[in-house]
Amino acid sequence: MDQRKGVQIDDLLRLKFVSDPQLSPDGKRLAYVVKEINDDKKYQSHIYLMDVETKDMVRWTSGPSMDVHPRWSPDGSKLLFLSNRSEKKMQAFVISAKGGEPEQVTKVEKGISNPSWHPDGQSILYGFTVEEDQDSDEASLKGPIIVDKLKYKADGVPTLTTQSYAHIAMVSLKTGDVQVLTEGDTNHYYANFSHDGKAIVYARFAEDQPGSYMKSKIYLQEFGGKPVAISTLNGTVSHPVCSPDGRYIAYVGHNQKYGPATYNEIWVYNREKGTTQCLTDKLDIQIGDVMISDLHSVEASPNMKWCHNSEKLYFLASEFGNTELYSIDLYGNVEKIVEGDRHIFQYAMDDDSKDVYLAVSTPSHPGDLVRHDINSLLEEPITFHNEDLLSNITLSVPEPIQYASQDGTVIHGWMLKPNDFVSGKKYPMILYIHGGPHMMYGNTFFHEFQVLTAKGYAVLYLNPRGSHGYGQTFVDGCRGDYGGGDYHDLMAGVDHALDSYDWIDPEELYVTGGSYGGFMTNWIVGSTNRFKAAVTQRSICNWQSFYGVSDIGYFFTKGEIGAHMEEDPEKLWYHSPIRLVKNVETPLLILHGEKDFRCPIEQAEQLYIALKHQNKATRLVRFPDADHNLSRNGDPSMRMARLEQITGWFDHYRVTPQTSKMVNVQ
């Protein structure tokens, strides 16, 4: 009999986060990143090099720093990477592929991002932030901060961004000379060199004006020339990639037809003809990785790469709970290159397009690298960084489910049994609702879910309407109707689980979720008393105030709820869970980060006071310095404390509660 234990909260400290495989130009070596939590409970990451033939591996960087983003020089003799080992800001370093000490090549006050090699290997392109007129850090200490921009803060940025703009520069490795390549009071991202190094291509976002929310264009800028817009969409475009033969520039984007729910398409600009075509107009899937997990940051990156002969593109896309690798040629012919019930979150490919190196996670594996032969479909694991942990724990394996919602809409999801499941016993069940709402649960590893099953809970996680992975119509299905069809999808899922699994105790139902999932948790406890206890995380309770306090509120309320504050405040109020607060009888734990600018903590404060003033069972837990991404990449100690609060709250209300570290529940 297997005596290994289920996943514990502190197993977070033993997890390894493997990512960013990068193949050397000669195809013989693979660089990649391993992030871990050190003995001081702080993140650190190192770059590893592997001989792809022998599988011999060596850690190439060391120390308590964050070393990330390895990129081979064009001749394969050097490795460029980002590190905060100097001055605690991310700077570019270069190290010989033969070993030795890394050399720092940038010294930018606020740090840099997304560095890449010039094709001649003599210069580095990078992004950086320009502060104009006033320094937010200094202003906060010496005097008032003057705000005259519509967008003046961003979640994950600890200081106000009133006068900061993202720009692009290039540094010479030989002389150290820096050339700033962009200008103006706007933001520039995703920069890349053209194939010959004579130009750069990037996305420039619109000026800070009402109606320009998230709108951008792709620009091509010859050295010594003016930037020229090459995209034609009146919407959002990003991630430009130049073809090896110099003829094409591919990018992803959409026209915002369905607001924030609009699917990305792949577009290709022909430099010789000056024309643009959409390659994916007949493909009804979301381009990019939109899988939700507590081990991987959700970036929705398409990770597009050109084939060596410039005849097709490779990219990641998300569908039916999986993120897989696809290809598309210039005629729009699509092929799924690597598939399966799993989460491919990054990849590297050799020039002959024969072998692809995948960063893969599954529900029973946190993530490692595998080599996949495209022709034979044979696959072999090549890294084993999580092997020690996995060999000492047992995991609950999810069962996929499908059912019809109230209006007949088919909903997809998964059920995780309790880790100690014994036939004939009754178990409590937690409905766990994802954020977004335009994201996707799927076949990836979730530390938190496994912690809950180890404590004796079943976990039901679903993709209600509004989720990615099931077509444009489905993902658009909740806009303007938050708390309508999506609520019925979730309640139908609970009913389906009770009808399908006789081991679920109908008197022991619990619910939780974060962001949109927190909104829906709030809506649920205001609409039904069928849940015994609930935990709402980084939630929204009042769309009227959210409109003015969130870093995205001024466009999100219109795009998702259907109205700006000045247009129809009553519609915002109707969809606000705080309107239903008098109905709440379910004990509700409220978790929120102090530095959350996406769903600001005033949302939690409103809900807490409204409940407490009625003497209802509630508690507010505030996490210092935590932003909206606490559960994914927040301070490890705070992440574990958060899990202790969640499990403690549910355990307290169980008929047979488990041992909990949360104290003084009243």
Side-chain angles (χ1 to χ4, degrees):
M1 184 176 180
D2 196 338
Q3 298 296 316
R4 295 178 300 171
K5 63 182 178 66
V7 175
Q8 306 301 303
I9 290 176
D10 62 3
D11 283 329
L12 177 70
L13 303 176
R14 288 173 276 281
L15 284 166
K16 310 295 183 184
F17 310 88
V18 183
S19 65
D20 208 3
Q22 298 289 323
L23 196 61
S24 62
D26 62 8
K28 295 182 178 179
R29 290 166 294 178
L30 190 72
Y32 64 96
V33 176
V34 179
K35 184 172 77 170
E36 57 191 341
I37 300 171
N38 62 25
D39 292 340
D40 295 325
K41 295 183 180 178
K42 300 296 181 184
Y43 295 113
Q44 65 184 35
S45 58
H46 299 117
I47 295 169
Y48 285 69
L49 290 190
M50 173 186 288
D51 183 306
V52 299
E53 185 65 32
T54 66
K55 308 298 187 302
D56 291 339
M57 177 184 62
V58 62
R59 193 175 74 182
W60 212 241
T61 64
S62 60
S65 58
M66 294 290 291
D67 300 333
V68 297
H69 194 80
R71 296 296 183 268
W72 293 96
S73 62
D75 63 2
S77 66
K78 300 181 182 69
L79 202 63
L80 164 71
F81 65 97
L82 278 172
S83 178
N84 64 355
R85 62 183 57 206
S86 174
E87 303 168 3
K88 303 304 179 184
K89 299 291 185 182
M90 282 294 186
Q91 305 289 353
F93 289 77
V94 171
I95 187 172
S96 171
K98 296 180 180 179
E101 288 297 315
E103 176 185 356
Q104 185 172 341
V105 297
T106 63
K107 295 182 179 180
V108 179
E109 180 183 0
K110 301 292 183 180
I112 73 158
S113 63
N114 195 37
S116 60
W117 289 94
H118 190 281
D120 67 7
Q122 301 301 309
S123 300
I124 302 293
L125 191 70
Y126 62 88
F128 72 106
T129 299
V130 174
E131 301 277 358
E132 296 183 358
D133 297 337
Q134 59 181 340
D135 186 292
S136 295
D137 292 328
E138 294 182 3
S140 64
L141 297 174
K142 297 180 180 179
I145 299 174
I146 300 170
V147 175
D148 57 10
K149 299 292 185 183
L150 183 61
K151 183 176 177 62
Y152 65 91
K153 60 182 178 180
D155 188 65
V157 180
T159 57
L160 298 184
T161 59
T162 308
Q163 302 291 342
S164 65
Y165 304 100
H167 283 280
I168 300 163
M170 182 172 65
V171 59
S172 168
L173 294 182
K174 183 176 182 180
T175 66
D177 292 341
V178 174
Q179 182 181 1
V180 177
L181 303 175
T182 55
E183 59 184 19
D185 295 346
T186 188
N187 292 304
H188 309 74
Y189 297 109
Y190 313 114
N192 281 302
F193 284 110
S194 61
H195 74 296
D196 57 7
K198 295 180 179 179
I200 59 171
V201 61
Y202 53 84
R204 185 167 80 186
F205 282 75
E207 300 293 328
D208 185 70
Q209 296 294 329
S212 65
Y213 317 127
M214 298 301 292
K215 289 188 175 180
S216 57
K217 289 191 178 297
I218 303 298
Y219 282 80
L220 177 65
Q221 183 174 329
E222 303 279 350
F223 284 107
K226 296 290 185 181
V228 177
I230 62 171
S231 60
T232 57
L233 282 176
N234 182 29
T236 305
V237 289
S238 62
H239 296 90
V241 184
C242 298
S243 65
D245 66 4
R247 296 173 60 195
Y248 306 108
I249 299 172
Y251 55 91
V252 298
H254 58 75
N255 60 6
Q256 298 185 352
K257 180 179 180 180
Y258 302 96
T262 313
Y263 266 3
N264 274 327
E265 305 275 11
I266 296 178
W267 304 80
V268 170
Y269 173 73
N270 187 315
R271 294 183 65 183
E272 295 175 347
K273 299 180 179 179
T275 57
T276 300
Q277 66 179 121
C278 178
L279 300 185
T280 54
D281 54 352
K282 297 180 181 178
L283 189 64
D284 192 20
I285 62 174
Q286 172 64 354
I287 308 301
D289 174 16
V290 292
M291 184 84 75
I292 286 182
S293 166
D294 57 359
L295 300 189
H296 309 280
S297 296
V298 180
E299 299 178 352
S301 172
N303 212 327
M304 283 197 303
K305 303 179 190 298
W306 282 97
C307 181
H308 67 283
N309 60 13
S310 302
E311 292 181 354
K312 65 172 65 174
L313 282 156
Y314 296 96
F315 63 95
L316 296 177
S318 300
E319 184 178 27
F320 209 73
N322 300 312
T323 301
E324 298 162 298
L325 180 61
Y326 294 73
S327 72
I328 190 167
D329 65 21
L330 296 173
Y331 301 99
N333 298 308
V334 179
E335 181 181 1
K336 192 180 290 188
I337 300 298
V338 185
E339 57 187 341
D341 291 337
R342 55 184 173 175
H343 178 199
I344 300 173
F345 51 95
Q346 287 160 335
Y347 69 96
M349 187 173 289
D350 63 25
D351 280 343
D352 294 328
S353 303
K354 293 180 180 178
D355 285 330
V356 57
Y357 298 85
L358 308 169
V360 177
S361 175
T362 68
S364 58
H365 200 294
D368 261 300
L369 303 183
V370 300
R371 179 164 67 178
H372 179 96
D373 186 308
I374 291 177
N375 295 323
S376 69
L377 304 183
L378 293 176
E379 199 166 278
E380 61 171 334
I382 59 173
T383 67
F384 304 90
H385 291 281
N386 283 293
E387 196 65 24
D388 287 345
L389 173 63
L390 292 173
S391 64
N392 289 289
I393 58 174
T394 56
L395 298 171
S396 178
V397 179
E399 176 185 336
I401 61 173
Q402 282 185 266
Y403 59 93
S405 186
Q406 184 184 57
D407 62 358
T409 301
V410 176
I411 305 300
H412 179 218
W414 294 263
M415 171 64 78
L416 275 169
K417 286 182 178 179
N419 197 261
D420 61 353
F421 180 82
V422 176
S423 181
K425 288 183 62 176
K426 292 284 189 179
Y427 293 90
M429 184 185 79
I430 298 171
L431 171 65
Y432 212 120
I433 309 166
H434 70 62
H438 310 308
M439 304 305 295
M440 181 183 74
Y441 274 147
N443 290 301
T444 192
F445 191 87
F446 242 105
H447 170 254
E448 181 171 349
F449 290 176
Q450 295 292 339
V451 166
L452 294 173
T453 62
K455 283 189 166 287
Y457 295 92
V459 179
L460 175 66
Y461 53 112
L462 308 169
N463 283 330
R465 70 191 68 195
S467 303
H468 274 310
Y470 308 92
Q472 179 65 80
T473 300
F474 189 90
V475 77
D476 190 48
C478 72
R479 287 201 313 134
D481 188 39
Y482 275 36
D486 48 0
Y487 168 74
H488 293 298
D489 294 345
L490 294 166
M491 293 304 98
V494 173
D495 293 336
H496 174 80
L498 291 172
D499 290 341
S500 303
Y501 305 103
D502 59 7
W503 47 264
I504 297 174
D505 188 341
E507 302 300 318
E508 291 283 311
L509 301 179
Y510 302 86
V511 61
T512 186
S515 195
Y516 165 82
F519 156 83
M520 187 53 71
T521 299
N522 297 338
W523 188 270
I524 285 171
V525 298
S527 303
T528 178
N529 292 328
R530 72 187 302 183
F531 293 93
K532 198 170 184 183
V535 180
T536 184
Q537 308 171 49
R538 59 191 187 279
S539 73
I540 300 155
C541 73
N542 187 338
W543 291 110
Q544 289 186 339
S545 62
F546 177 88
Y547 165 79
V549 297
S550 169
D551 65 339
I552 62 173
Y554 52 88
F555 65 86
F556 192 89
T557 51
K558 176 70 172 182
E560 291 292 325
I561 307 304
H564 287 311
M565 183 67 176
E566 66 274 14
E567 294 176 344
D568 189 354
E570 289 305 313
K571 182 167 179 58
L572 298 183
W573 181 246
Y574 175 80
H575 291 282
S576 296
I578 201 166
R579 178 179 64 84
L580 308 173
V581 73
K582 66 181 182 298
N583 303 331
V584 177
E585 300 296 337
T586 307
L588 182 63
L589 176 65
I590 304 168
L591 306 181
H592 221 104
E594 295 276 4
K595 294 292 181 68
D596 190 335
F597 291 164
R598 184 60 39 84
C599 299
I601 198 168
E602 63 89 28
Q603 295 282 311
E605 293 170 333
Q606 287 188 61
L607 184 59
Y608 173 72
I609 291 299
L611 291 169
K612 200 69 175 176
H613 190 249
Q614 299 176 81
N615 201 30
K616 297 193 174 184
T618 188
R619 165 176 285 177
L620 172 61
V621 179
R622 307 166 70 114
F623 295 92
D625 297 321
D627 61 25
H628 198 63
N629 288 298
L630 168 63
S631 65
R632 291 181 283 267
N633 55 27
D635 177 85
S637 295
M638 289 294 180
R639 289 177 68 176
M640 292 191 294
R642 170 185 161 273
L643 291 174
E644 288 165 1
Q645 290 291 329
I646 294 170
T647 56
W649 187 261
F650 289 149
D651 285 352
H652 177 77
Y653 288 98
R654 283 180 66 173
V655 172
T656 53
Q658 305 295 300
T659 301
S660 167
K661 291 187 179 181
M662 192 190 74
V663 296
N664 297 327
V665 178
Q666 297 177 356

